[in-house]
Amino acid sequence: MAAVHLSEAEKVYIIHGVRDDLRLDGRGCEDYRHMEIETDVVSNTDGSAKISLGHTDVLVGIKAEIGKPKPLVPNEGYLEFFVDCSANATPEFEGRGGEDLGVELSNTLYKVFNNRLSVDLRSLCISPGEHCWVLYVDVLLLQCDGNLFDAMSIAIKAALFNTRISKVQLSENEEGGKEIELSDDPYDCMRLDVENVPCIVTLCKIGHRHVVDATLQEKACSVASVLISVTHRGTVTCVRKMGKGSLDPESIFEMTEAGKRVGKSLHAPLMRLLQEEESLGQKRQKVGFLG
Amino acid sequence: MPFDTKRIRGPEESQSPLLFLSPAKVPESSSREGVRGNGDVRPVFARCGLISQAKGSAYLEAGNTKIICSVYGPKEIERKDETDMKTGRLVCDFRLAPFSCLKRGAWIQGSEERDLSAALLESLQPGVCLHKYPRSQIEVNVMVLENDGSILAHAVTCASMALADGGIEMYDVVLGCALRQNGESCLVDPSYTEECGNWQAGYGENQGCVTLALLPNLNQVSGLTAEGDMREDTLTDAVRTCMDGCNKLYPVYQQALIRAVKKKAPPPEK
């Protein structure tokens, strides 16, 4: 993963700053960097979103395809995640360099969404046991400046909000076989309920405190971090300790509590923003990638 | 290849017939088959030093979960490009035998196994004194022979015993414990049916699985993974319960390690 090298003196400077609740860019310990979100940025997708969080840029595209439901859950569709670490972000990702990070990120996403409440998978079913919608969620990292997990999850929530799946109808032909009919009206589509989609909050332990939304420099000072994905109701769908250090049980409790608080407060403004953006409709000025 | 078009061909992908069992057959998770209480761990059997070629090895059984682990190294680092040479490197390889699960797996390492390898590495790393092994790597290979739930937790314990058996310097042994939260009740050290049980069918609240790795003497948590949908207070309780579970099993593993040491270097007879 893209990493920066810091001298001991620089590390001490950051750690002491965090101790006094003051970070390099003037933020407090539980503040996010400036965040910009734009949805509907790629026309060939069914839903897309781009987020820039500080200098971290993530683009998410969602494509819906018709597939076969899994035999264990015949009346549900499913989501597939793929994270691509583009060589644009850092030269280390060239070739297969970003593969390990990509697999780690996508596995985490599977875990975050591995529950029945995040996305209503039953609404993705077309005919039980035969056809369902498969949502391919493709994440592209364009620029890495720390906190990939949080940026990625927010972008996915925005992209799922933006997703429009065409309505299909099942009809039987003369021979008794089933046929799928696509609606003629391109605006006749189904929306997903994204209310329960969780957002990931990563807390990095620095010294005796923890910070939210760590930059690469701050990450270099921390030996262990905790990733928590929180829904708008404050329930936790995934927790993972990351990094090569260990943590005191008490600090884990503190961090989960802080993660819940921060994560919960993330959802309402995000949803408001997404609805506001959508209400602008066609009048909205597109910013795109140079914004 | 020519084939008989008159013959009805089977589906391209084969499925286990067990997948089509009626959901009513899944056992109630609260009963625990009347054998143990919800907070009880399964009895474990642990032995060290069964693979003679390896530097250290361990075998662990908990109920029907059977795990074997071997440790090789420290040896010279293979890829010298990335990591700094002041500390050693721990390499973990987690594999599920193809016949270990209900559904047959592939021999090639899948994404689930890669994920488990990463989780295992993160849990073990804080316990090993890697700075004592500059320019070298230590390989940990874990093979699950039979999967009856809580594999990651037991793999962590098994791997740390193998490391200890191999004489790798460690701060502390790393013990794992898993938990399955089902509404208000929680099941410690779940079996495979309890692990996925009615979660597959249920939309209930407070469902989830937690796996914790603990350094018992230092009282530090070296690994934590949780998934599902749980309230935060449930999660903290689950973490505490898992820590209790680790401490319960600690004497068993201590005995196994002492036994292994005595076998390797028998005390002088007087």
Side-chain angles (χ1 to χ4, degrees), chain B:
Chain B
M1 200 178 79
F3 57 87
D4 189 354
T5 47
K6 303 257 167 30
R7 185 180 291 170
I8 299 168
R9 286 179 297 155
E12 279 168 28
E13 255 181 75
S14 60
Q15 304 282 1
S16 160
L18 292 170
L19 287 176
F20 301 98
L21 268 182
S22 64
K25 291 263 175 73
V26 179
E28 254 318 287
S29 49
S30 59
S31 71
R32 280 222 139 169
E33 295 140 18
V35 180
R36 53 175 172 148
N38 286 351
D40 293 348
V41 291
R42 286 175 285 187
V44 290
F45 171 84
R47 284 285 180 278
C48 292
L50 65 155
I51 299 171
S52 55
Q53 292 100 319
K55 186 89 190 295
S57 57
Y59 172 77
L60 194 144
E61 239 177 64
N64 279 331
T65 298
K66 299 183 180 73
I67 296 169
I68 194 163
C69 173
S70 61
V71 169
Y72 291 87
K75 56 185 172 190
E76 201 182 343
I77 213 156
E78 273 169 21
R79 280 161 63 199
K80 292 184 180 172
D81 47 348
E82 36 186 297
T83 44
D84 63 328
M85 305 298 258
K86 279 182 211 146
T87 65
R89 207 161 66 136
L90 199 65
V91 182
C92 289
D93 187 42
F94 193 113
R95 277 179 201 266
L96 294 156
F99 43 78
S100 63
C101 303
L102 211 59
K103 190 172 185 275
R104 187 184 174 272
W107 278 108
I108 307 164
Q109 200 175 29
S111 74
E112 189 202 352
E113 284 161 296
R114 282 168 82 168
D115 190 40
L116 286 166
S117 305
L120 179 67
L121 175 69
E122 271 165 8
S123 305
L124 288 178
Q125 219 168 15
V128 184
C129 304
L130 282 172
H131 62 277
K132 301 259 187 179
Y133 302 97
R135 299 178 154 268
S136 47
Q137 72 174 12
I138 300 160
E139 283 169 18
V140 178
N141 301 304
V142 173
M143 176 67 107
V144 176
L145 303 176
E146 199 173 332
N147 176 5
D148 192 24
S150 323
I151 43 170
L152 178 59
H154 291 300
V156 167
T157 315
C158 187
S160 85
M161 282 177 68
L163 282 165
D165 180 57
I168 307 291
E169 288 190 54
M170 290 164 86
Y171 295 107
D172 199 350
V173 288
V174 190
L175 303 180
C177 184
L179 178 147
R180 165 81 166 84
Q181 187 75 34
N182 180 12
E184 294 307 309
S185 68
C186 70
L187 307 168
V188 180
D189 191 19
S191 68
Y192 188 76
T193 43
E194 288 167 347
E195 222 169 40
C196 39
N198 46 11
W199 186 12
Q200 296 288 350
Y203 277 83
E205 292 214 323
N206 249 1
Q207 303 282 326
C209 286
V210 181
T211 303
L212 178 110
L214 181 78
L215 306 169
N217 290 310
L218 302 170
N219 195 33
Q220 289 269 310
V221 175
S222 66
L224 175 66
T225 56
E227 50 186 306
D229 189 68
M230 285 178 284
R231 289 196 309 270
E232 188 236 338
D233 54 326
T234 322
L235 185 74
T236 40
D237 286 343
V239 169
R240 286 206 180 89
T241 318
C242 279
M243 284 166 65
D244 284 346
C246 291
N247 286 321
K248 262 184 213 162
L249 284 173
Y250 187 34
V252 182
Y253 300 125
Q254 243 172 348
Q255 284 294 318
L257 283 171
I258 290 169
R259 203 187 146 109
V261 171
K262 276 188 180 155
K263 207 170 129 195
K264 266 191 183 165
E269 282 176 44
K270 279 174 192 168

Side-chain angles (χ1 to χ4, degrees), chain A residues 76 114 116 236 239 241 247, chain B residues 200 203 221-222 227 230:
Chain A
E76 288 179 6
N114 185 12
R116 294 308 160 86
V236 178
V239 180
K241 187 231 100 183
L247 290 166
Chain B
Q200 296 288 350
Y203 277 83
V221 175
S222 66
E227 50 186 306
M230 285 178 284

Side-chain angles (χ1 to χ4, degrees), chain A residues 79 113 115-121 124 135 160 192-193 197:
Chain A
L79 277 78
F113 285 88
N115 62 77
R116 294 308 160 86
L117 302 163
S118 295
V119 179
D120 185 17
L121 296 173
L124 295 177
L135 294 184
L160 284 171
L192 289 167
D193 179 21
V197 175

Side-chain angles (χ1 to χ4, degrees), chain A residues 237-269:
Chain A
T237 66
C238 175
V239 180
R240 187 157 193 183
K241 187 231 100 183
M242 297 194 299
K244 52 189 171 183
S246 60
L247 290 166
D248 192 60
E250 281 310 312
S251 67
I252 286 194
F253 301 144
E254 272 170 38
M255 283 160 102
T256 44
E257 205 200 313
K260 179 192 160 190
R261 193 170 56 236
V262 173
K264 224 176 148 179
S265 63
L266 209 59
H267 285 281

Side-chain angles (χ1 to χ4, degrees), chain A:
Chain A
M1 175 147 169
V4 287
H5 294 283
L6 291 185
S7 67
E8 281 306 313
E10 283 172 300
K11 283 186 185 172
V12 168
Y13 181 71
I14 291 175
I15 292 168
H16 283 187
V18 168
R19 193 185 58 196
D20 300 333
D21 200 13
L22 190 64
R23 293 160 71 177
L24 284 188
D25 39 14
R27 283 181 290 158
C29 281
E30 288 184 6
D31 295 338
Y32 271 89
R33 283 171 285 181
H34 180 69
M35 199 187 290
E36 276 175 25
I37 304 167
E38 191 181 3
T39 57
D40 201 15
V41 277
V42 186
S43 62
N44 278 339
T45 58
D46 294 305
S48 62
K50 180 188 167 279
I51 181 172
S52 40
L53 179 65
H55 290 293
T56 300
D57 274 341
V58 178
L59 177 65
V60 175
I62 296 181
K63 283 247 192 204
E65 283 179 19
I66 293 179
K68 205 170 158 27
K70 294 179 177 172
L72 268 178
V73 274
N75 58 348
E76 288 179 6
Y78 56 97
L79 277 78
E80 291 280 359
F81 296 97
F82 187 80
V83 183
D84 184 44
C85 305
S86 141
N88 284 321
T90 149
E92 287 161 43
F93 289 162
E94 211 193 321
R96 305 187 68 162
E99 208 184 77
D100 285 344
L101 178 67
V103 170
E104 190 194 337
L105 289 164
S106 57
N107 277 333
T108 310
L109 286 176
Y110 279 113
K111 282 194 172 166
V112 167
F113 285 88
N114 185 12
N115 62 77
R116 294 308 160 86
L117 302 163
S118 295
V119 179
D120 185 17
L121 296 173
R122 284 177 293 194
S123 67
L124 295 177
C125 181
I126 299 167
S127 78
E130 286 172 22
H131 303 288
C132 69
W133 285 109
V134 184
L135 294 184
Y136 289 94
V137 180
D138 291 298
V139 181
L140 193 61
L141 305 181
L142 299 173
Q143 216 182 145
C144 297
D145 187 24
N147 211 11
L148 291 176
F149 287 95
D150 299 20
M152 196 170 70
S153 71
I154 294 168
I156 288 175
K157 181 158 182 162
L160 284 171
F161 177 83
N162 181 239
T163 300
R164 282 161 177 78
I165 304 170
S166 338
K167 281 207 175 119
V168 287
Q169 269 175 339
L170 273 182
S171 59
E172 272 185 38
N173 56 15
E174 298 96 61
E175 287 146 30
K178 280 177 184 169
E179 266 180 14
I180 295 177
E181 251 175 61
L182 193 68
S183 168
D184 292 329
D185 180 9
Y187 291 100
D188 184 22
C189 11
M190 177 175 89
R191 300 281 300 265
L192 289 167
D193 179 21
V194 294
E195 193 76 46
N196 280 323
V197 175
C199 281
I200 301 177
V201 179
T202 316
L203 297 122
C204 280
K205 184 93 183 165
I206 298 179
H208 290 286
R209 298 187 68 145
H210 45 257
V211 299
V212 164
D213 189 22
T215 58
L216 281 180
Q217 281 91 341
E218 285 167 331
K219 204 175 174 210
C221 301
S222 131
V223 284
S225 50
V226 172
L227 174 153
I228 305 167
S229 73
V230 190
T231 61
H232 75 111
R233 290 173 294 127
T235 56
V236 178
T237 66
C238 175
V239 180
R240 187 157 193 183
K241 187 231 100 183
M242 297 194 299
K244 52 189 171 183
S246 60
L247 290 166
D248 192 60
E250 281 310 312
S251 67
I252 286 194
F253 301 144
E254 272 170 38
M255 283 160 102
T256 44
E257 205 200 313
K260 179 192 160 190
R261 193 170 56 236
V262 173
K264 224 176 148 179
S265 63
L266 209 59
H267 285 281
L270 177 65
M271 286 306 285
R272 203 175 53 235
L273 209 73
L274 290 173
Q275 259 141 15
E276 224 168 82
E277 192 194 24
E278 195 186 56
S279 65
L280 288 176
Q282 297 292 324
K283 287 180 295 185
R284 176 167 70 99
Q285 207 178 5
K286 294 216 172 179
V287 184
F289 293 88
L290 291 169

